[in-house]
Amino acid sequence: SDNFDHPPCVTSANAATDKQLHIALALSGREPGVFDEFEAALKSVLLNAPFERSLFVHIFADSNAYEELDGVLIRTQVTSWETRNQVEIHVYDVQHHIKSLEAQMLETFQPNFPNFTVAEGIVIHTVGTWFRLYAHRFIEYDVDNLLYIDTDCVIMANLDGIADFIEQ
């Protein structure tokens, strides 16, 4: 497992359980609109945290996004939220992994798409988009399932239902 620069931002263990739900979000760049979407997505995840399991939120960011995240976490005050079960938010600065991520992209796609290039892949999608495909390589935990949520998604109901579905 790799070492990352940022400790968990939220930890609450009022009623920790063996069941866990791991959620991933990814960010790239500094565009204000992306951070507004991210803030709404993160709040919706935390407000709909599972009743029956602990929640681990993993946020993957390049160096630009990573620098902006503390401001978002402070402004939203999510580090002071009281939760029923254990909730942890882990922020990963994956900038130093970008070159290996690009190599993994080529290794993954060139066998079936010989003309695929990293430059083409990044024009179509940001590096942040690609983090979701390789998130399992960055997480510091042994995780069976990881639910990736785009930053423009808002969770409208408790996450226990989807966690139960994932575990089937």
Side-chain angles (χ1 to χ4, degrees):
S1 169
D2 296 331
N3 291 326
F4 296 96
D5 303 329
H6 207 286
C9 295
V10 175
T11 303
S12 175
N14 296 339
T17 65
D18 289 334
K19 290 183 170 184
Q20 299 177 352
L21 176 62
H22 289 263
I23 302 270
L25 296 135
L27 292 164
S28 178
R30 291 197 158 133
E31 296 298 319
V34 171
F35 284 93
D36 292 341
E37 288 178 349
F38 165 75
E39 184 177 323
L42 178 61
K43 286 180 179 178
S44 73
V45 166
L46 295 175
L47 288 170
N48 290 290
F51 293 128
E52 303 297 327
R53 51 191 47 84
S54 297
L55 176 66
F56 295 82
V57 179
H58 305 275
I59 304 167
F60 304 99
D62 66 9
S63 61
N64 289 323
Y66 185 81
E67 290 172 8
E68 299 293 322
L69 275 172
D70 276 338
V72 172
L73 297 174
I74 290 167
R75 186 177 66 254
T76 59
Q77 299 180 350
V78 295
T79 58
S80 63
W81 289 16
E82 294 280 332
T83 59
R84 174 189 297 230
N85 290 326
Q86 178 181 7
V87 173
E88 291 186 15
I89 299 176
H90 297 267
V91 180
Y92 304 89
D93 179 353
V94 296
Q95 184 66 42
H96 55 285
H97 295 284
I98 299 260
K99 289 294 179 203
S100 71
L101 175 64
E102 291 172 349
Q104 292 167 24
M105 289 166 57
L106 291 173
E107 182 182 316
T108 301
F109 291 101
Q110 278 190 336
N112 294 318
F113 305 98
N115 297 327
F116 177 85
T117 64
V118 171
E120 177 185 29
I122 292 175
V123 166
I124 296 169
H125 302 288
T126 67
V127 173
T129 303
W130 294 100
F131 292 156
R132 74 179 89 175
L133 297 176
Y134 302 101
H136 64 286
R137 298 180 186 202
F138 301 117
I139 292 179
E140 300 168 313
Y141 295 92
D142 183 21
V143 175
D144 291 329
N145 296 296
L146 179 68
L147 176 62
Y148 178 85
I149 298 177
D150 278 330
T151 57
D152 62 352
C153 292
V154 174
I155 305 300
M156 301 295 289
N158 185 278
L159 288 162
D160 274 321
I162 196 154
D164 289 341
F165 180 78
I166 289 170
E167 290 173 0
Q168 289 181 356

